[in-house]
Amino acid sequence: SVTVGYILENEAMRVLPGLLEEEFGLKVEGRLVRKFLTDIEGNPMEVNIVGEARKNGERFLIVGESKSQLSKGRVDEFLEKKLDRLPKPGDVQIFPVLVTHMITAPDVVDYALSKGIKRVYYSYEFGK
């Protein structure tokens, strides 16, 4: 499952810049990467997908997580263990996304969106 997760992340980092620009008008600057960010307590935390973007002069920090099977519990885990631990930069808006192969229940995407996730991408949306 770890290998599947890395493959999903790698593919997401390759195609998300185009999808984010097409759907939200966000122009990713540089590349999306997997890296460690410093949390609000000064501790490192690994984030699956990270990158900077701009839209109409506004700055955004793309923060994403990939899960081969996305559940409500995984959504909550992403919110609590990643997003809630990020420092709140004054001039940068956090733009959280999730990437998955499949969901575990019909209402998982609606649940994620209701919690502030901007978009849930399915791997089949990545095309070739």
Side-chain angles (χ1 to χ4, degrees), residues 81-120:
K81 293 186 176 179
K82 305 293 172 147
L83 291 183
D84 291 348
R85 291 177 50 202
L86 281 175
K88 307 298 184 238
D91 64 338
V92 178
Q93 296 179 50
I94 304 296
F95 197 92
V97 297
L98 292 167
V99 177
T100 191
H101 284 301
M102 63 182 287
I103 54 176
T104 61
D107 59 346
V108 171
V109 172
D110 288 338
Y111 180 78
L113 297 176
S114 77
K115 295 292 187 173
I117 303 301
K118 300 297 186 186
R119 179 71 151 82
V120 175

Side-chain angles (χ1 to χ4, degrees), residues 1-13 15-16 48-49 65-71 74-75 97-105 108-109 119-128:
S1 69
V2 172
T3 301
V4 171
Y6 283 134
I7 291 169
L8 182 59
E9 288 171 27
N10 291 343
E11 188 67 8
M13 287 186 273
V15 300
L16 279 178
N48 293 162
I49 302 165
E65 182 91 0
S66 66
K67 296 292 179 190
S68 58
Q69 292 187 32
L70 185 63
S71 65
R74 296 289 187 164
V75 171
V97 297
L98 292 167
V99 177
T100 191
H101 284 301
M102 63 182 287
I103 54 176
T104 61
V108 171
V109 172
R119 179 71 151 82
V120 175
Y121 288 99
Y122 289 94
S123 58
Y124 62 77
E125 295 179 89
F126 295 169
K128 288 278 177 182

